[in-house]
Amino acid sequence: MTDDTLGWMSVPLAIVAGTFRGSAPFLFVSLGECLTEKAGKINLGLEGTLLTGAMTAYAVSYLTKSPWLGVLAAGLAGVGLGLIHAWLSQRPRVSDVAVGIAMIIFGSGIAFFFGKAFIQPKAIPLPVFELGNWSSYPQVQDALKISPLLLIGIVIAPVMQWFFSSTRWGLYVRAVGDSPSAARAMGISVVGVRTGAIVAGSFLAGIGGASLSLYYPGLWSERISSGQGLMAVALVIFARWQPIHCLWAALLFGGAQAIGPSLQAVGISSYRYLFNAAPYIMTLIITIATCSPRRTLSGSPGALGTNE
C-alpha cells in the first residue's frame, strides 16, 4: 500500500490530526472558564483574551525569536485582562455578562490595534513532538505531530480536578462559588479568591491564544479565534464544570472542527460550509439540550452569575 492508496482511511487520520491540532485552544480556554465559574463568576471576555494572547504570543515570538517567551507573554497578557475583568465584575450591581461583552470588545480592540504590524511577518512557531516517524505514511506522521501545549493542557486537567477535590484552596474556590455568604462566615476572602480564579483562568486563556498563533493555524490574523472563546463557555456547561470532562469535550470540539477539511481532502466539497460549521452546530445543540433548568443546574456552582 502506498501513500496514495489510503483513500477513505485518510479521513479518520485527518480528523485525528485535526483533533490534536485544534483541541489545545478549546482545552485551555475551557479550563480557564471552568476555574472562573467554579468561583461563581462568568467570564465571557475570554474570547477577547484568546485574541490578545494570540497576538501577543506571535508578536513576542517574532521580536525575540523565542516562541516560549511568546507563550509566557500571552499568559501575562491574559493576566492583565483578567485583573480588569475581576475588578469590574465584582463592583456592586455589575453584571458578569455585561462586563464580559465589554471585555470581548476591549480585548479584540487591543489585539487588532497592536497586531496590525504583525500580520505579514513570520514568527517562529512552537516545536512539535513528531510521534509518527515510525510510519512511512505522511498522513500518519501528520496525525501524530503533537503540540507541547496540548500535552501541558492534558496534564493541567487532572491536576485541576485534584485541586478542586483535594486541596484547601480548591475548597475555597468551590465555597465562594457555591455560597459566598457561608465562605465569608468561614473567614474566606470572596473577592480575593474570585480575583485569583479569574486571573488564573485568563492566564490559561492567553496560553490558548498562543496555541492558535504559534502552532495551529500558526499565524496571526484578526479572525484567528473564530469564536472559540465563546464556544468554551458552552463547552464548560457540557463538561458539567469538571476539568477532566473539559478535556474530553475539547477533544470532541477539536475533532468536529476537523471534519470539514478532512472530507474536502478526499474530494467531498458538497456541504463543506455545513461541515465546517460543526463546532458551532454542536454549541447550539448543547445550548438547547441544557436549557432545562434542572439540567443546567446539574453540577453548576450555586452562586454562578449572581451578584452575591
Side-chain angles (χ1 to χ4, degrees):
M1 183 181 287
T2 66
D3 297 345
D4 296 333
T5 61
L6 281 176
W8 279 91
M9 281 299 295
S10 65
V11 175
L13 285 173
I15 292 177
V16 170
T19 300
F20 290 148
R21 282 198 300 261
S23 296
F26 285 117
L27 178 57
F28 276 94
V29 180
S30 64
L31 289 175
E33 183 67 14
C34 182
L35 177 58
T36 302
E37 293 194 9
K38 276 286 190 180
K41 305 301 287 184
I42 300 172
N43 189 356
L44 296 179
L46 291 183
E47 173 70 14
T49 306
L50 193 70
L51 278 169
T52 303
M55 183 279 296
T56 304
Y58 198 82
V60 171
S61 176
Y62 172 73
L63 294 173
T64 66
K65 312 302 180 189
S66 171
W68 287 108
L69 275 181
V71 173
L72 178 61
L76 294 177
V79 168
L81 292 179
L83 285 171
I84 297 172
H85 189 283
W87 183 77
L88 287 174
S89 65
Q90 295 186 83
R91 297 299 93 196
R93 295 183 295 279
V94 173
S95 166
D96 288 356
V97 175
V99 173
I101 293 172
M103 291 303 295
I104 291 175
I105 298 171
F106 180 64
S108 302
I110 288 177
F112 296 168
F113 180 78
F114 290 104
K116 287 187 180 300
F118 300 99
I119 292 177
Q120 292 297 332
K122 183 64 177 177
I124 297 177
L126 283 167
V128 297
F129 294 110
E130 298 189 4
L131 306 180
N133 289 337
W134 52 269
S135 174
S136 60
Y137 297 106
Q139 292 90 339
V140 175
Q141 295 173 3
D142 186 56
L144 295 179
K145 287 181 179 177
I146 309 296
S147 166
L149 287 182
L150 177 62
L151 299 179
I152 292 172
I154 290 174
V155 171
I156 290 175
V159 170
M160 187 180 291
Q161 188 88 26
W162 169 81
F163 170 78
F164 286 135
S165 62
S166 304
T167 69
R168 176 178 298 181
W169 281 100
L171 173 64
Y172 290 171
V173 172
R174 290 190 289 119
V176 301
D178 286 329
S179 178
S181 57
R184 290 189 186 94
M186 294 167 60
I188 299 172
S189 170
V190 174
V191 173
V193 171
R194 284 179 167 172
T195 298
I198 294 171
V199 169
S202 296
F203 177 83
L204 292 176
I207 300 295
S211 178
L212 282 173
S213 60
L214 295 181
Y215 176 61
Y216 182 76
L219 51 82
W220 158 246
S221 71
E222 295 176 350
R223 296 182 178 179
I224 193 171
S225 68
S226 304
Q228 292 185 43
L230 289 173
M231 282 189 276
V233 178
L235 193 152
V236 171
I237 298 172
F238 180 59
R240 291 289 181 264
W241 294 269
Q242 297 298 320
I244 288 293
H245 295 171
C246 286
L247 169 60
W248 309 131
L251 293 173
L252 179 65
F253 271 62
Q257 199 176 38
I259 292 175
S262 302
L263 291 176
Q264 290 177 46
V266 293
I268 300 178
S269 57
S270 301
Y271 307 107
R272 65 180 184 278
Y273 295 114
L274 179 62
F275 289 122
N276 289 340
Y280 308 101
I281 295 172
M282 286 179 59
T283 303
L284 182 61
I285 292 173
I286 289 170
T287 303
I288 294 172
T290 57
C291 66
S292 163
R294 188 176 60 181
R295 289 186 177 184
T296 302
L297 291 175
S298 174
S300 170
L304 181 62
T306 68
N307 288 323
E308 186 179 356

